[in-house]
Amino acid sequence: EAGVAQSPRYKIIEKRQSVAFWCNPISGHATLYWYQQILGQGPKLLIQFQNNGVVDDSQLPKDRFSAERLKGVDSTLKIQPAKLEDSAVYLCASSPTGGRNQPQHFGDGTRLSIL
Amino acid sequence: AQTVTQSQPEMSVQEAETVTLSCTYDTSESDYYLFWYKQPPSRQMILVIRQEAYKQQNATENRFSVNFQKAAKSFSLKISDSQLGDAAMYFCAYSGTYKYIFGTGTRLKVLA
């Protein structure tokens, strides 16, 4: 089966600019996660979708970050405007139903650098 | 709130030797799962092993095994016969009712 697809692989922007990341989960996976992984740290959950609904966005900085999964398949994460501290790898993951027993399947991530 | 702690930022092991990575967690839940993930330099995170809290038997996957001590809230990963391809960041993760939480990771270096 095809894995989780993410694009772009790398992105360099200046602070205050906007940027968007795209993720296509494994076919049939209802649950989609976006993580922020700052260098030297573990992934931090930004938002979790169940189909096209938001399950958890408690750690999403909503003043600048937004995410959508309109048709319950692929998803877009946007940052506007970007700050220096947003430099990180943004990981997308999916699982079949989001059950606690299910491992997550990760994409390659997008490395974002803010100048 | 649940927490996951990996106290070893970096570990080294000689090829063919055995190494143990530590993980402790804190939770008030009784039904949860614990995972170890591997993140090679290419960045794609992959599952290494999974442990259900209700199972006393330690999980094993080929050269990878865990030492799960529920009362002590400890979940260590043992890698036997270490190989160069085992070099990576290893993350311990907790999956409970509402949260999926990762530790800060341990970088494993394998010396030839």
Side-chain angles (χ1 to χ4, degrees):
Chain A
E1 64 180 3
V4 176
Q6 286 189 249
S7 67
R9 190 73 187 269
Y10 304 92
K11 191 74 178 179
I12 302 173
I13 62 172
E14 296 185 347
K15 60 183 179 183
R16 292 188 290 273
Q17 286 187 326
S18 63
V19 63
F21 313 125
W22 175 82
C23 172
N24 195 26
I26 291 174
S27 178
H29 280 196
T31 311
L32 185 148
Y33 310 81
W34 282 104
Y35 289 91
Q36 180 191 59
Q37 187 177 19
I38 293 173
L39 186 65
Q41 299 182 18
K44 182 184 87 170
L45 179 68
L46 293 176
I47 190 166
Q48 177 183 344
F49 290 96
Q50 188 72 15
N51 297 307
N52 61 351
V54 176
V55 173
D56 183 356
D57 63 355
S58 58
Q59 298 190 96
L60 186 73
K62 298 180 185 64
D63 58 334
R64 299 184 301 105
F65 285 65
S66 65
E68 60 184 16
R69 194 186 184 199
L70 294 176
K71 296 183 178 179
V73 181
D74 58 342
S75 175
T76 302
L77 176 70
K78 296 179 181 178
I79 307 175
Q80 182 180 14
K83 292 185 175 181
L84 292 176
E85 61 259 36
D86 298 332
S87 291
V89 175
Y90 290 85
L91 296 171
C92 180
S94 70
S95 69
T97 63
R100 72 185 73 186
N101 64 322
Q102 296 172 358
Q104 297 184 13
H105 301 261
F106 287 82
D108 288 335
T110 296
R111 182 180 297 279
L112 175 65
S113 298
I114 312 292
L115 303 178
Chain B
Q2 293 84 11
T3 59
V4 176
T5 302
Q6 294 180 250
S7 59
Q8 306 155 316
E10 189 171 293
M11 294 281 286
S12 295
V13 62
Q14 287 290 140
E15 201 175 1
E17 296 295 310
T18 296
V19 64
T20 299
L21 308 184
S22 300
C23 174
T24 58
Y25 61 95
D26 191 23
T27 184
S28 57
E29 296 182 322
S30 57
D31 184 16
Y32 54 89
Y33 285 76
L34 296 163
F35 301 84
W36 277 99
Y37 286 89
K38 172 184 177 181
Q39 189 178 43
S42 64
R43 294 206 308 274
Q44 186 170 81
M45 193 104 66
I46 56 174
L47 175 70
V48 175
I49 201 164
R50 171 178 57 185
Q51 175 76 43
E52 181 180 356
Y54 273 110
K55 287 189 177 178
Q56 293 190 348
Q57 185 175 7
N58 290 323
T60 299
E61 288 288 343
N62 301 313
R63 297 183 296 107
F64 298 88
S65 61
V66 300
N67 183 6
F68 175 50
Q69 303 288 330
K70 189 172 183 178
K73 295 179 181 174
S74 170
F75 180 61
S76 60
L77 175 70
K78 186 172 83 171
I79 306 174
S80 303
D81 185 26
S82 297
Q83 301 175 359
L84 294 177
D86 295 333
M89 283 291 291
Y90 286 82
F91 292 96
C92 176
Y94 169 97
S95 179
T97 304
Y98 301 111
K99 289 293 184 184
Y100 206 105
I101 303 169
F102 286 86
T104 52
T106 296
R107 180 175 301 280
L108 179 65
K109 294 184 176 181
V110 181
L111 309 174

